[in-house]
Amino acid sequence: MEGPKHLKLQESSKEAPFVKEGTSQVEESELKERAFLDRVKELTKEHFHTLKRYPSKKEFYTVNLITEGYLETSFMISSLLKVCITALDAERSPNRVVPEPDQNIREVLGYVLNIIPYEEMEFLDKIQHLLPDQEKHD
């Protein structure tokens, strides 16, 4: 009885599948492609953490902002606004580093609007209305 055919390891990946002798070039090419895609999927799991798919729209992603809480978030928003104010006060002539300063300032201001925690502020207003009137106790 004859033993199994000789096997050779593909060189394209350390985890590449084995290819049997006599495998057609098309099959070998498909195995290499599958090994490559498997490796890309593995690298994706290791390295793609910043963008998360937006739940209701496949073409959108979210970026999580890590902060210590609402106070730090408020300071971040304040700092972004201060940078924009400074940029608006300065001469905004295009240069090699910032070729479209007005567009960049508009983008940052848009980001600032998106990170303002409106719902949480509404919650704070509702809580404030539930508390006894503070002026009476002063």
Side-chain angles (χ1 to χ4, degrees), residues 14-60:
K14 67 180 182 182
E15 297 175 10
F18 288 100
V19 178
K20 295 180 183 177
E21 270 188 31
T23 303
S24 74
Q25 286 183 332
V26 172
E27 291 172 325
E28 188 173 335
S29 175
E30 288 174 359
L31 287 172
K32 285 181 180 180
E33 185 176 323
R34 193 172 314 130
F36 173 75
L37 291 174
D38 288 344
R39 182 69 179 136
V40 169
K41 287 178 185 177
E42 181 182 312
L43 290 171
T44 299
K45 288 178 185 175
E46 288 178 27
H47 298 284
F48 283 172
H49 301 287
T50 303
L51 296 180
K52 306 287 184 211
R53 280 228 186 262
Y54 191 74
S56 62
K57 302 240 181 183
K58 282 185 180 178
E59 66 273 8
F60 291 120

Side-chain angles (χ1 to χ4, degrees), residues 65-84 108 112 115-117 121:
L65 210 57
I66 299 170
T67 71
E68 291 178 2
Y70 290 105
L71 186 60
E72 184 183 8
T73 302
S74 297
F75 286 131
M76 290 171 65
I77 292 168
S78 175
S79 295
L80 287 166
L81 290 170
K82 289 174 185 177
V83 167
C84 289
V108 169
V112 169
I115 63 174
I116 294 174
M121 298 302 179

